[in-house]
Amino acid sequence: MALPLSRSERLLKAAAPVMEQALRMRFVTEVTAGTISDADYADYLEIEAAFVETATRLHGLAVWGAPDRTALERNARAVHALTTTQADYFREARATWPVPARPDAARRAEVLSRYALDVAREGGYPAVMTMLFAAESLYLTWCARAHEHGAVPDGAMSAWVALHADQAFRDGVRALAAEVDALPDDIPQERLTRWFTGMLEAEIAFHDAVFG
């Protein structure tokens, strides 16, 4: 007899059609194939750097709402990584990239931050864990495929993909799944699914905005 699915497994199953749509995004396809233009990746560096600030705020809210010391420490480490390692990556990549981002790049991609912050205010810690699980599951899946089987150009692009395919990132996604599994039973699964799929849909709009 099969064991019942966990909450995180049920989310992945319910959101599979939207996840597949996200994995077919033009951005994912072009980075994986090594065909994205310098101008478009410059815009991505601009808009993703802006979202890293939002992700820092989400993890900060999760520190405040953490149900135990393990969750508190994990989210605090995430805040540190986002404001050091990832901030350094964007600072260096943008400084050395062959072309600058177009002036309206960050404005075009505000949809993801707006969605994530609105839902975080609505749902607190459970919403943050669910949205981050969605976003990081997406990134782990496409970056692992691109890293293993793609033709990602060497340099800043391959470094970014590799960062989201390494063991530390995999461990982080597993930790998010565990946090989702441990959410209180009185939070309806349908609400988690709404937050999860909504985040994936916002990710699609965000990445499509790279191309104007």
Side-chain angles (χ1 to χ4, degrees):
M1 182 176 177
L3 294 173
L5 297 178
S6 67
R7 298 198 87 173
S8 59
E9 290 169 334
R10 280 183 281 161
L11 281 178
L12 291 169
K13 182 177 180 179
V18 185
M19 180 67 80
E20 285 303 314
Q21 182 185 353
L23 292 170
R24 294 192 301 269
M25 292 186 295
R26 177 182 172 185
F27 177 80
V28 169
T29 301
E30 291 193 5
V31 171
T32 300
T35 59
I36 192 167
S37 72
D38 286 347
D40 288 334
Y41 197 73
D43 283 8
Y44 175 71
L45 290 172
E46 182 77 14
I47 70 175
E48 186 68 21
F51 184 71
V52 164
E53 295 180 8
T54 296
T56 303
R57 296 177 189 277
L58 294 175
H59 280 290
L61 179 61
V63 169
W64 178 264
D68 53 47
R69 185 176 182 84
T70 298
L72 185 152
E73 290 178 350
R74 192 189 70 76
N75 283 284
R77 286 194 298 271
V79 169
H80 181 263
L82 288 164
T83 56
T84 54
T85 304
Q86 290 209 21
D88 290 344
Y89 166 83
F90 286 107
R91 190 177 301 110
E92 294 166 10
R94 291 159 75 189
T96 59
W97 197 251
V99 297
R102 288 164 283 210
D104 64 339
R107 180 193 57 77
R108 295 198 315 262
E110 290 174 348
V111 58
L112 185 58
S113 289
R114 186 165 57 248
Y115 175 81
L117 292 174
D118 285 349
V119 172
R121 294 185 185 101
E122 169 199 335
Y125 181 85
V128 172
M129 290 298 99
T130 304
M131 290 189 294
L132 290 174
F133 179 51
E136 297 198 4
S137 294
L138 168 62
Y139 257 71
L140 175 59
T141 303
W142 85 258
C143 286
R145 292 176 181 177
H147 184 63
E148 294 168 12
H149 306 295
V152 184
D154 292 336
M157 208 177 299
S158 63
W160 183 243
V161 169
L163 179 66
H164 293 85
D166 67 14
Q167 191 59 50
F169 194 77
R170 292 174 188 273
D171 291 344
V173 174
R174 277 197 293 269
L176 283 167
E179 291 296 327
V180 169
D181 292 340
L183 292 175
D185 291 338
D186 61 358
I187 302 175
Q189 187 72 16
E190 293 77 13
R191 187 180 304 165
L192 301 187
T193 300
R194 173 168 58 84
W195 291 335
F196 190 95
T197 56
M199 188 66 173
L200 291 178
E201 289 164 351
E203 288 275 8
I204 292 169
F206 172 85
H207 287 86
D208 285 350
V210 168
F211 303 98

